[in-house]
Amino acid sequence: MSTPPHLPTARDRFRTAYDAVLAQWPEPVRSVDLPTPYGLTRVNSCGPAGAPPLVLLPGAGATSTVWGACAGAGLAGTHRVHAVDLVGDPGLSVPEPGRAVRTTGDLVGWLDAVIDGLGPQAPVTLAGHSYGAWIAAHYAASRPARLGRLVLLDPTRVFAGLRPGYVLRALPMLVRPTPERIGSFLAWESGGAALDPAWLRLQGETARFRAVRPVTGPRPDLTGLGGTPVGGRPQAGVDVRLLFAGRARCHDADRAARAARRVLPGARVEVLPGVSHHALPLTAAGEIARLVAAA
């Protein structure tokens, strides 16, 4: 009697889609699982080993693979890129049973362990998109001495709340995610922009992940983080740079940018027209690479 063929599990399908996106990155890519108090954290790294360290946090559900376009657009030439799968989120990080990340303090402790595990030899540039930017902002507020530069890409719930219409549109996908609902939402939010098909397939596979409640909390207190501008540059503190997506549906980008300039008068704040929130890391990779690497 012949053995029935192995049928791919949901995890198999996710891993195949994940690896297909990672295969598009600039080579070579080194993948490691770093131990933290909250579980193993998968980090995908590329770029010269001695280059300045850059830690990248994705938006919720986007996985570390979303940064491949940015790495290929120049970041992997100017930095040692370390793209992180958020623990508890879709990806290859493995949460520690009974040690869920529940508070902003937990997030700071988790990221401390990740950066310690990477062992950077210079101050880190920390960049995040969307929910990842919210995490990065909280970390910068708590650990400014560990950072040389902070880059926030269309941060949500940092300088502006979410639009009710955006939340209502996302609700069916959040309550009962399916590949079809995820694809429909991304097509709506991006205005039909041409997103990487391999990454879109991976997004569909994230529907099979057990839903984990994301950490919520107050807006991070970034007052004074970027120092006082002198001659157009921060006098003290962390070098802060922000890029807002001009066509974002989650918030009013111009209003959020004005709020950012009030809170961080020494920061470099830009609004990129014609780009949506979820498409930003994929379709504005060149602009992101320029913002991160510019002197």
Side-chain angles (χ1 to χ4, degrees):
M1 182 175 178
S2 62
T3 303
H6 169 71
L7 296 178
T9 64
R11 187 69 180 179
D12 292 336
R13 293 193 296 272
F14 176 85
R15 183 58 188 266
T16 298
Y18 184 104
D19 289 344
V21 182
L22 199 60
Q24 299 175 161
W25 280 42
E27 295 183 353
V29 176
R30 179 173 180 262
S31 300
V32 297
D33 295 312
L34 298 177
T36 79
Y38 302 95
L40 294 176
T41 297
R42 171 60 59 97
V43 180
N44 294 307
S45 304
C46 64
L54 168 62
V55 175
L56 298 169
L57 305 180
T63 79
S64 62
T65 66
V66 75
W67 297 111
C70 292
L75 285 183
T78 59
H79 290 77
R80 179 63 174 172
V81 171
H82 303 290
V84 180
D85 278 344
L86 304 179
V87 70
D89 216 45
L92 300 186
S93 293
V94 182
E96 181 71 19
R99 287 298 307 273
V101 175
R102 301 185 186 280
T103 67
T104 54
D106 292 342
L107 284 170
V108 170
W110 164 73
L111 198 46
D112 267 337
V114 171
I115 292 174
D116 288 343
L118 293 172
Q121 301 302 309
V124 167
T125 293
L126 178 62
H129 171 239
S130 189
Y131 177 57
W134 184 81
I135 296 172
H138 272 287
Y139 188 80
S142 297
R143 301 285 193 270
R146 300 205 72 175
L147 304 182
R149 181 170 294 171
L150 173 68
V151 181
L152 304 179
L153 303 172
D154 214 38
T156 49
R157 300 186 297 117
V158 176
F159 303 103
L162 296 175
R163 282 172 166 159
Y166 174 85
V167 175
L168 287 174
R169 188 72 181 235
L171 200 57
M173 175 188 67
L174 298 174
V175 171
R176 191 172 68 85
T178 65
E180 294 75 22
R181 287 182 173 184
I182 292 172
S184 176
F185 177 78
L186 290 172
W188 167 77
E189 198 286 325
S190 66
L195 304 180
D196 175 23
W199 183 79
L200 285 174
R201 284 193 295 273
L202 175 59
Q203 288 300 284
E205 293 300 332
T206 67
R208 275 84 178 185
F209 267 74
R210 182 174 62 88
V212 176
R213 182 182 177 87
V215 176
T216 58
R219 296 182 187 180
D221 183 4
L222 301 179
T223 306
L225 186 68
T228 303
V230 175
R233 298 179 64 83
Q235 184 180 18
V238 180
D239 178 1
V240 184
R241 302 174 179 205
L242 299 102
L243 182 64
F244 290 93
R247 288 184 58 192
R249 293 181 183 263
C250 56
H251 52 214
D252 184 312
D254 291 319
R255 182 176 298 175
R258 289 194 296 270
R261 293 185 182 104
R262 288 194 298 270
V263 174
L264 296 165
R268 178 174 176 173
V269 182
E270 301 179 18
V271 177
L272 186 62
V275 180
S276 75
H277 175 77
H278 291 277
L280 187 64
L282 299 167
T283 62
E287 289 84 352
I288 292 170
R290 172 188 55 79
L291 181 70
V292 171

